[in-house]
Amino acid sequence: MMCTIIKASFLLAFGFIIRMFLITSSYQKMIADRVEVSTPVNSWRRAVEGVTLMKLNISPYEGDTFHEVPLFLQFYHFLLTNFEQWIPLIFAIIDILTGLCLSLASYNQLKTIKRWEKIRLSKLPSSDAKKLEIPEKSIAQLSFRVLAIYLFLPYSIMACTAQTTSVLINFLVSLTMLFISFGWRVIACSLVALLTYHSFYPILLIFPVLMVSEKTNQKGKSFTYASKSSCFSLISCSIATLLLISILVMISKSITGSYDFFSSTYYFLLSVPDFTPNIGLFWYFFAEMFDQFREFFLWTFQINSFVYSIPLSLTLKNNPNFFFLITLILLSLFKPYPSVSDLAIYLALLPQWTHLFTYMKQGLLVACVFISCSVLAPLMWHMWIILGTANSNYYFGVTLAYNVGQIFLITDLLFAYLKREFYLSNGIKVDDKDKPLKLELSAE
Amino acid sequence: MTLIYFLTFIVLLPCVHLDEAVKDDYSESLLIKPLPDGMIYNHFQFKTILHQDIEYLHLENHFDRFPLAIGNFISKNLIKELTFSLGRGHWKLNTWGYPLRYQPNGAELWVTLQNFNPNPWKSWKDITSTLSGLFCASLNFIDKAATTKPKFSLKPDGIFINDSYRPDNVFYASLAHEAVCTENLTPWKKLLPCFSKAGLASLLNAVQIFNSNYFALSLDVKSICRNPSCNETSTEITQSVQVVFNPPAMFEGKHRWSIVKFFGTSLKEECKLASSSKIYVETTVNDTDNSYNLSPLPETSIESDFQGEKRRFAVYDVKKMIEHNRNNNVNKFNIYSMYQKEYIYKKVNPPYITAHRYITGYGVYLGGITCRITNSLTKAQNVTYLDVIPWYLRIYIHTLSITSNNVEIKPSKLYHKPGKDRAQPHHIEIILELPPLSDTIITYDFERAFLKWTEFPPDANHGVYVGAATLTFQPTNFQNLTIHPEHTESLDPPTIKIKTENLLVSLPTPDFSMPYNVICLVSTVITLAFGPIHNLTTKRARIAIQSKEGSNLKDRIFKFFKRS
Amino acid sequence: MGLLTDDKSSEESGIVKLLRNHANKVSFLCFTSAIIVAAALVTENYVDTTYFSDNALLPGLVNREFTNQPYLKDVLTRLRKVAKSRPNELVADWLVNEFNSIGLHGYEHNFTLHYPFGKEQVIKGNNVYAILRASRAQSTEALVISSPYRASNNVYGQTLPGIALMLSLAKYFSSKNYLAKDLIFLVCDKEYIGFQAWLDAYHEVDRSSVLDYGYLEAKSGPIQAAVNLQVYEEDIARLEVKIEGLNGQLPNLDLFNVAVELATRESITPTFHGKSHPFSADFYEVSKDYALTTASMMISQAKTIPTGAHGLFHKYAIQAITLEGIGKVAANQRKDYLSAPLFQVGRVIEGIFRSLNNLLERFNRSYWFYLLPSTRRYISIGYYMIPFGLMALPLLFKALNIYLTMKKVDQDKSEQDSTQVESLWNALPFNFYCHVLGFLIASLPALIQRYSWLYHDYNLKFKDTIYYTLISTSLLLMFNPIFRWKQKSEEQLKARQCVALINLALILSCLSLLNISLALFLTVLIVPVTYLCVSISNSILRKLLAPFILLLHPLSIGYLCILVVSFLVHHETDPMVHLARSAESHKSYLLKYLEDWYIHGNWTFFFGSALFFPAWFQIWSII
Amino acid sequence: MFSLICLIVCFSSISRCYGSNVDKVDNFFSKSKHTNNWAVLVCSSRYWFNYRHVANVLSIYRSVKRLGIPDSRIILMLADDMACNPRNTRPGTVFNNAHHQLNVYGDDVEVDYRGYEVTVKNFIRLLTGRVEDGTPRSKQLLTDESSNILIYLTGHGGDGFLKFQDSEEITSVELADAFEQMWQKQRYNEILLITETCQAESMAQQLYSPNIIGIGSSKIGEDSLSHHGDPTIGVYVIDRYTYYALEFLETVHSNSSKTLSSFLEVCPKKYCISTVTVRKDLFHRDPAQVPLTDFFGSVPKVNLMPTPKDEDLVTW
């Protein structure tokens, strides 16, 4: 235990040093200008611009450079006026804390998951149980690995170096995880409310959050939406969250004096008007779209990014924590302006689910895709934008491949999870050669 | 006897009527000025004055000089002041000095509407479309996204009685890529009372003047004082053409010029309607070693003293000259000039305030705009800098830095209106004081927007233009000023407006042949996500039935086709 | 949609079986076929004829009117005189006056180079340039005619005729009224440094501590294209068109075509790497010719050093070529061409610039990735990628094969916690570590420079210091087991092999997009050895491969190339001399690459140390 | 005496008018019922190297103007500015042959749509009359059911389309529908459609509205070739069909008796290289009976402008 703490502190220190070094080095601008890292909604340059406009008392929402909500603008203003020279430090620290929160959260979650599964495992023959259960000793190690990965994942490092505001968002997300792992539903919900207020899409997180807290209350018994009590609590919580969101909106309205900020924040997110390339699916699609179909596809895409939560919330009832992870991946997949920081946070969380890896098939493929994409993207960008020898399709191709990779990952995870669920509920079926039988999906 | 009286009355009657009808006055002039680098600057000016207040034009009673079309146009759109110009080529500020009227390449429109105009934006739109029809120019590309309302830069030229001037009635727009050619000149000439048949306007034939190093035509409408007390105003329409010729290119390398050679024709006939029509040739340079002599000799030569800046002009009265020629039956009139010695290219010292603007950086994503303003005077100078950047170059105002000789200086006023995508341009206006003998650099960064494939112009890879920036100031030194002898009586120092270069910025282009492919690909990826997730959430896992078939190839193929 | 959620399929599907059991055969097949294809590509049947894909160019349709003006001869003589009188400086004031007397405005441009290595050392220089403003257009676009200033008759030969030609062209064009783009006439001092300084100043890139580029008094719009003149004599036998730029970047093929077309029309033989287009019926003759030309182009591209000043323009997305007018004396030793007077070259250039002047859009059609077997033939990326792909594929096959076998073992071992695939993840940190090492090595020069007193005390030259440091570092890394993370188990070894292969494949394929020649050469060298040492299971046998792998070390590859060249060039001397001499030139080459990196942004050293070395090091560590 | 004179006078007048009636009757069918002529002349291609297309369209412009159609009734669309293009060594002029005999740009040309304005959208809007409000009259086709319209299109074409500015196309179907709409809205009496593009025949193929005669400079699958180039500016100056068409039109004057059929003979294959195709099945009159001036000229009696109202004074 002691040594883990020492190791952890070493890691933290090291990660911190790397970040500080990069932020203060000459690479900072280079990284901050990468479109994969800073998008129209999260780039620090735009935040500074917003603050500057505010100082010139021009409404930042009059122009089309700043796209974040008033309260956050106020926060940046506060930072830039009081702690201007400390900002790198602040960002680095926040990022480190994020890592810490994540690992703690995963530690708790693993513990609770283990606790929940005990009941089901007890029903199985001991041999299967032994195979299926999450080994006690590994838990600490896994959560430690989460920390390590988050601290040294190039993506999180870059996001922090570029001082993108998603560093803050990631921090909030990790906090949410931490709190629900403690079972403090109120704080968790309010955090989700804050996130939603900021960039709208995290509203999806409300489902897993509520489910986790509900399940924790049920002492890990798999609850049903039919039961009156759980139903009631769920609804009440969600209503509370919505209320909180509306309050936040009200506050920001009173700050700016009008609802103008809607058009350049939420509406900006929903009607993707900015085609600056990013690692998402939207930019090239809508840049190349025929004007008359634009509306239609816009609706389709936006609905598509929300539609998955309901079925998933039914399927993953038994393990809402996993649902949380899946939601994160879905977000980074279907956001209009995703960045590598979205990738970073869920990649860091993966080790928590090591017990699913055995059932996964696409591991190598996905890894290769991610790595090669992160190498090729800057290269293609350079050839398209700087040298002018390639064209946009090259870069588009890379982003496309990256998203396919993400899709493979998510489906693979889900399938692995389902398999394990199957085994959990009715043991590992083996054939004559003592090899586990293959599974398949069937409608009935 | 009575009969004779009667007849005379009959004869006189129309004249009398005419006299009454003449509420308007028309005068024309041509200023010829040798520029420091041996090129010749010709400035035509046709001035029509209607003695009516611009806000209450009565066009029903006929008058023969004032262009009716413009009259209707003004009264229809409630215009107070209008400045329209089409230019081609680039005025070389450093060598040529300040022109009488600085016009950038392309079209420029600047309108001040009357205060009680009910719907300014609508009449602005009408004005652009009307002018585009009138002058065969595609001014209808001026929309909200190209229009700005400058705060400090554009002070009105005309008179505003009991200062009724309101900056928010000013509309300004420029189209840097607009071409100017015969089809624009012809309708422009038709506005003149004698069209292009007689008078100085007959010199303006397209083929000649477009073969020049700089060409600009303009139409200004403003109100001027009708009487010294200036309690009522009358409307003035000024049409001017500026042409710069390069004599060596026309006289196989020799430095000499003549009206016939420049304009391809001589003056054959004067414009009867013109109250005065004069040709001025600036002879100030004759003090230097590049002196030339004119023939025929001018009958008068005036010495103008403008705020202590002395200039000499040879004056030709066209009417007199043609009259005189006619008498000794030569029915044409020409002026030509020869340099006494071989022409010497001297080092030209640039005007004391120059501005040059250019793009910095490379690649088609990030970049910067830098404007270098030099002040070579020993006293400080206040200038106003106006820059209008189209929305697709996203300006970051926090990167704006103004340094003078590498020292940060604070602007005394800064106005910024951030651009909005497809709706309004970025608009920066800076009032600052240039230190003496300084080299001031205004610079800011921008980020290129990525446009829809349908938003690009047909020649997408040519790039897009950024209109010239305007630098306005009250000169304290008149050395490189071009001075028009007719303007000298106005004692207040003129405001000089100089323009920087237009900029060509290449934007990142998508592949224009891709739409279908992209739509298909992306949609496929989406379904790739949708399908499996749908499967996983709706179906449940079970033990696979080990299928015996699929062992040999034939079955497998069969199976494959069955599946798909 | 059974694609992703079907557990039965993909298991034991044909391709998997194939890869697991017959990877070696398949790979061998690929590699051999790659060589065959490569050979086939340079034969007359497969190379394509060059064509103009941008209609706007209209090459040679217009009359070329530049004639043998007396001014040309006169200015050349005067230039020669003044250059002789002031041998070791650029006669800036004279040139400026000359430009002014033509009626243009000449400007000087001063720059300072703080030599990045060794003792503090400052090189000052001044370029001269003049801008001919397009008379009837707003000056928003520009074309550049440039020439380095070489007065003394050094190995490169003097470029004064070229400069004289440039002046007379300036005089000629200034009397014309058809220019739509400004013409910039540029005479550069200090060879490439001058060009670099001027370009940096023109684009006002972020100021670096190395090259202080001052500022330009006058500028024009974005530069569309540039032609760099190097005319050595008054009578030209052939016009050598040079295209390979910094980092092996190439200009748009259309520009090259225009140059060739016009030279031909003016009956000056255009040559590429010393060869004009073979007009022979004999299939083998022609093919051989193609092969040789392609090879020499690939070599010069793989060197990543520009073959002329044009190479520095490419970085700014400016299409540029160098026209080298080679005199009778130099040319005739090969075979005799009919010679053309200087003004005829002028006509060629006039023609080129009329074509460029016709362009409305910037170059955006034609090819940027190609190989040239002759002045009239090209091999596009679509073709040359095939052999490369076939060569690189074995790496992936092998990687997959290893992975699959590991998985198989997993599934056979029935207990669930799988060590094998786990270890694949455990192999990643080593990869990461290797690249970190690479970056450290890449930053060595900077470090050494910072602590320069260290070697100044032992009055060593920087050249030697960096050279020996690099060697010793890599030796240290190679032979000290601590740095090699001795893998414990068999499966870890396998995992590392898998990762190393994938890593190598990725790096090579990225390189192939930027500089195909270098990528191809490296692939040819490294793939077989790597493949062998991965597929041999017996560790003793593997050890025998060590020397071969050693030869593939970035440094030793460079050394070998130089050695081979020196053997080819002068074969009489005894081998020891060769070894010593090439060691020396190896040093100086290393230094040159470093300089290029700091001044021009050549990435070869960085690539070698931070990307290629790690890949190599992983292979080394798995034997 | 006096009465006698009167008698004679009136008698003769009667006989005259009777006679005139007679010839009215017999050429009633060949006469067109049109009262005014319009021309829509379009050059749809950009870039300096397409000089010849501008020259084509200006040649036609010159002839129709010479034959009496006033500028107010000619809609001229030029996608690029060649006359004042900096690359043009003779600024302000466009010549349609290398000997620079006649400057087709003239001194009082009125270009109604130019540069980026020349788009498919604008063209269709112009034809169908659905222009945006505030469009000046000079940019509108103010025709009625008794107008004969000459439509001349040149540019880069293919089978079934004509490229505008090298970035978009108008398909023959779109064109046909536009014509049909014009017919429905009674915007024309007869249309003469001339296309000078590659595979020009295809542009007229989809037409289905009455009273249209379509001339194409080339069959489907054929290119329509340029006639010759001008080495002083380094571009091709005119296309073959237009060159010979102009040669023919130069011989026509406003009251000449040349008929449409003779115009259809213009430029046989041995000159054009491409085959000139004519589609007359929609056209109810016999071309041999149709005077060429029905399309190229202008009906004398409405030659003088209608009394100007305010707005057309404003916008010419």
Side-chain angles (χ1 to χ4, degrees), chain B residues 26 46 48 64-71 73 84 131 134-135 184-196 218-219 221 237-239, chain D residues 313-314 316:
Chain B
Y26 167 74
F46 308 92
T48 318
D64 50 7
R65 294 159 173 81
F66 192 82
L68 189 63
I70 298 297
F73 168 57
F84 168 66
L131 281 177
L134 193 52
F135 290 113
N184 310 110
L185 183 65
T186 314
W188 183 89
K189 281 193 290 191
K190 283 190 183 146
L191 294 178
L192 295 169
C194 305
F195 304 114
S196 54
S218 65
L219 169 79
V221 180
I237 295 186
T238 315
Q239 291 175 260
Chain D
L313 277 170
V314 175
W316 243 261

Side-chain angles (χ1 to χ4, degrees), chain A residues 171-336:
Chain A
F171 179 58
L172 291 179
V173 171
S174 62
L175 273 186
T176 323
M177 282 190 71
L178 190 57
F179 285 124
I180 50 171
S181 67
F182 290 148
W184 302 349
R185 76 166 75 184
V186 181
I187 306 180
C189 285
S190 44
L191 280 170
V192 171
L194 188 58
L195 284 166
T196 313
Y197 161 73
H198 174 267
S199 58
F200 191 72
Y201 283 87
I203 188 74
L204 293 179
L205 289 176
I206 197 67
F207 296 96
V209 166
L210 291 179
M211 283 161 67
V212 175
S213 41
E214 185 54 31
K215 181 146 183 171
T216 337
N217 292 12
Q218 303 280 333
K219 301 284 167 300
K221 281 193 248 32
S222 68
F223 63 95
T224 57
Y225 295 110
S227 82
K228 215 176 240 70
S229 64
S230 56
C231 204
F232 172 75
S233 59
L234 286 179
I235 290 168
S236 56
C237 282
S238 40
I239 288 173
T241 319
L242 292 178
L243 271 178
L244 196 51
I245 296 171
S246 45
I247 290 168
L248 287 168
V249 170
M250 287 303 161
I251 295 170
S252 31
K253 192 253 177 193
S254 60
I255 293 172
T256 54
S258 72
Y259 286 113
D260 296 350
F261 69 91
F262 266 72
S263 65
S264 59
T265 52
Y266 303 131
Y267 185 67
F268 178 82
L269 285 174
L270 293 177
S271 72
V272 192
D274 187 327
F275 308 119
T276 313
N278 56 35
I279 55 179
L281 285 168
F282 281 60
W283 63 278
Y284 204 50
F285 185 71
F286 284 108
E288 290 271 6
M289 176 53 64
F290 301 99
D291 295 341
Q292 57 269 35
F293 299 140
R294 188 177 149 69
E295 291 304 312
F296 167 70
F297 277 104
L298 207 53
W299 280 101
T300 324
F301 272 43
Q302 295 292 8
I303 290 171
N304 173 64
S305 46
F306 288 99
V307 79
Y308 296 105
S309 288
I310 291 91
L312 283 174
S313 66
L314 294 173
T315 321
L316 307 179
K317 220 158 75 262
N318 293 336
N319 195 340
N321 293 309
F322 183 67
F323 184 24
F324 195 95
L325 175 77
I326 295 293
T327 316
L328 284 180
I329 305 181
L330 277 176
L331 277 182
S332 89
L333 182 57
F334 289 126
K335 258 188 190 173

Side-chain angles (χ1 to χ4, degrees), chain C residues 71 78 91-104 106-108 128 167:
Chain C
Y71 177 78
R78 282 190 289 125
V91 289
D93 49 350
W94 187 86
L95 283 167
V96 169
N97 290 337
E98 201 55 40
F99 276 122
N100 290 347
S101 68
I102 293 170
L104 304 186
Y107 306 91
E108 283 193 45
V128 174
L167 280 162

